[in-house]
Amino acid sequence: MLLWTLIKVSIKSLWANKMRSFLATLGIIIGVGAVIAMLALGEGAKRQITQKVSSLGSNLMILRPGQKGSRGVQNSSYDTLRLEDAEAILHKVPDVLHLSPVLRGSAQVKYLNQNTRVPITGAAVTYFPIRNFTLQKGRIFDETETREQARVAVIGSQTADDLFGKRDLIGKIVKVNGLNFKIIGVLSVKGDEGWYNPDNQLIIPYTTAMKQLFGLDYLGGIDLQIKKGVDPEKAKEKITAVMRYQHRIPADMPLDFTLQSQAEVLDTLNSITMALTLLLGGIASISLLVGGIGIMNIMLVTVTERTREIGIRKALGARNRDILRQFLFESTLISLIGGGIGIALGTGACYLIDALFSFSTFIQPVYVIIAFSFSAAVGTFFGFYPAMRAAKQDPIEALRYE
């Protein structure tokens, strides 16, 4: 049978039972649409995470105290990270471009009748370039102010709006846990990063944070920026060696700190996102299998209803492989049509998600090709048994069928 004739006969038979054909296609439509939407959601999450982590800074490394705990439960962290550690790393590891001690906490911040609880970050001047912070207005504190434990603060844009609204705030005095701090600068908007909002904070000199606000003699962490072109793994080995020496930790003993590079953080988050994407895609692909079973069911009914037609075709000279090819083509055609409509449905769902929610999606062309190919394979696979059953019909028995 010529291909064009095969196509015409298949379309004619599908069109003759429009509702049944549509119901057979529905499973594939939903399956392909769901697979594309789920994979686009996963890809969108991956891109958002990459963008957020990149905005934290370039060539960033984060040194944090290790976690204490027992039997897998972490309940506190070591307080062994000191300023001496930061100085040792800066002097002994030439791969480090910038370094900043970091302390984090929260405090009540007041301005006139405005009152809000704000995350406080104590840091050095170098914290701003390390974390890619830029100023909307004003200035950052300098080395002299840091050394003299000055009560000055750079405020995040959201905190500035909460406390001051549209009023000019440079030079204004706010009370932080009862202490007066002078606002000297406002950070540019960076956007909420989910687990951390850089727009909602107050950044003050780390010396002021340690001695006046929190009363601590240890650090909450050290942020580092390694030089461009330096291998992060080699820099990490050097920093770890310095920290082992500083904390007198033998080579066979566990570390009391953690050191993570930006690439490691990104890899970890991407692996989690990929696992989530595959899980969502796997669940959605079950719809395709259910759709395939629906096609097989409909095709079995079709073969039974067209038994006399099969007998007449065989009596006129059609071979088994012609009958097999015809019914197999019909089931595959159902899947292809369903796959095409499913692509449109999945794409429309992604546009709807982008329009209605802050979450963004991204459709990878390769995912569309995979979903469409899988739907065609499902139609062919589940249509093979009914087609084989039709091909094996005895022509005499088929002609007698009522």
Side-chain angles (χ1 to χ4, degrees):
M1 188 182 289
L2 294 173
L3 179 62
W4 179 237
T5 307
L6 192 64
I7 294 171
K8 280 198 298 184
V9 170
S10 299
I11 292 175
K12 191 176 177 181
S13 66
L14 292 176
W15 188 254
N17 295 285
K18 292 186 280 296
M19 181 54 72
R20 184 192 297 170
S21 302
F22 171 72
L23 292 176
T25 312
L26 196 57
I28 299 295
I29 293 173
I30 294 171
V32 171
V35 167
I36 290 175
M38 292 299 104
L39 294 179
L41 272 171
E43 186 63 27
K46 182 182 172 185
R47 286 172 182 257
Q48 272 191 325
I49 287 171
T50 303
Q51 185 183 358
K52 295 292 185 188
V53 172
S54 300
S55 71
L56 293 176
S58 56
N59 299 326
L60 178 67
M61 279 197 177
I62 300 170
L63 181 63
R64 293 285 180 266
Q67 297 292 314
K68 291 180 183 176
S70 61
R71 298 180 181 179
V73 179
Q74 297 176 339
N75 47 34
S76 64
S77 59
Y78 291 101
D79 51 7
T80 53
L81 215 54
R82 310 273 168 173
L83 280 175
E84 294 79 17
D85 298 327
E87 290 167 2
I89 292 170
L90 194 60
H91 291 124
K92 295 179 181 177
V93 184
D95 296 342
V96 174
L97 179 64
H98 291 305
L99 176 149
S100 170
V102 176
L103 292 98
R104 286 203 169 86
S106 64
Q108 207 70 22
V109 180
K110 297 180 184 176
Y111 177 72
L112 300 179
N113 63 338
Q114 299 298 315
N115 188 342
T116 181
R117 192 158 191 86
V118 176
I120 306 291
T121 302
V125 183
T126 47
Y127 182 74
F128 296 91
I130 290 174
R131 289 285 185 160
N132 270 347
F133 279 117
T134 56
L135 285 175
Q136 190 184 105
K137 62 171 78 171
R139 64 176 182 86
I140 61 173
F141 44 81
D142 54 28
E143 295 286 359
T144 305
E145 288 169 322
T146 303
R147 193 168 49 251
E148 294 178 352
Q149 300 178 26
R151 290 180 185 175
V152 291
V154 179
I155 192 169
S157 56
Q158 183 184 319
T159 311
D161 287 341
D162 292 343
L163 288 174
F164 297 94
K166 301 294 181 186
R167 287 173 289 194
D168 184 28
L169 71 171
I170 300 299
K172 296 290 189 297
I173 303 296
V174 294
K175 281 193 177 296
V176 182
N177 275 1
L179 299 176
N180 288 339
F181 276 80
K182 183 180 179 183
I183 302 296
I184 59 172
V186 183
L187 296 174
S188 300
V189 177
K190 284 190 89 171
D192 194 349
E193 293 167 358
W195 64 92
Y196 163 63
N197 184 0
D199 299 330
N200 182 32
Q201 65 174 330
L202 218 64
I203 303 177
I204 62 177
Y206 69 92
T207 49
T208 314
M210 290 179 77
K211 302 298 181 186
Q212 299 189 39
L213 196 61
F214 299 134
L216 300 174
D217 60 353
Y218 57 89
L219 303 175
I222 299 173
D223 284 4
L224 308 106
Q225 186 178 36
I226 60 173
K227 291 176 180 173
K228 195 175 180 181
V230 171
D231 184 354
E233 285 304 314
K234 289 184 178 176
K236 192 175 172 182
E237 287 174 10
K238 293 176 186 174
I239 295 167
T240 302
V242 171
M243 287 299 296
R244 274 188 182 278
Y245 178 79
Q246 285 290 118
H247 289 192
R248 306 288 188 269
I249 302 173
D252 57 343
M253 292 295 289
L255 302 173
D256 64 351
F257 60 89
T258 59
L259 178 62
Q260 265 195 316
S261 67
Q262 193 176 20
E264 286 176 327
V265 173
L266 198 58
D267 286 345
T268 304
L269 293 173
N270 279 341
S271 63
I272 294 171
T273 311
M274 181 56 72
L276 190 63
T277 304
L278 291 176
L279 178 66
L280 291 174
I283 292 171
S285 63
I286 293 173
S287 305
L288 278 175
L289 293 177
V290 174
I293 294 170
I295 288 177
M296 185 166 68
N297 190 29
I298 295 293
M299 289 305 295
L300 283 172
V301 173
T302 303
V303 169
T304 304
E305 285 186 349
R306 292 163 63 186
T307 302
R308 281 184 64 82
E309 177 191 325
I310 294 168
I312 292 170
R313 287 179 187 270
K314 285 197 169 186
L316 292 174
R319 295 163 295 183
N320 285 352
R321 65 182 182 188
D322 294 327
I323 302 297
L324 175 74
R325 194 182 303 166
Q326 179 191 335
F327 282 93
L328 199 56
F329 188 82
E330 285 182 21
S331 65
T332 306
L333 188 63
I334 290 173
S335 291
L336 291 175
I337 293 171
I341 300 173
I343 290 172
L345 182 71
T347 306
C350 290
Y351 279 113
L352 202 61
I353 291 170
D354 289 344
L356 296 179
F357 305 101
S358 58
F359 202 84
S360 65
T361 59
F362 186 85
I363 299 174
Q364 285 266 47
V366 66
Y367 292 156
V368 175
I369 295 170
I370 289 172
F372 188 70
S373 305
F374 190 54
S375 72
V378 163
T380 306
F381 179 78
F382 285 97
F384 187 77
Y385 173 69
M388 181 62 78
R389 191 170 170 180
K392 286 185 176 177
Q393 291 274 1
D394 182 77
I396 297 174
E397 292 297 323
L399 285 170
R400 286 178 180 170
Y401 185 80
E402 293 293 336

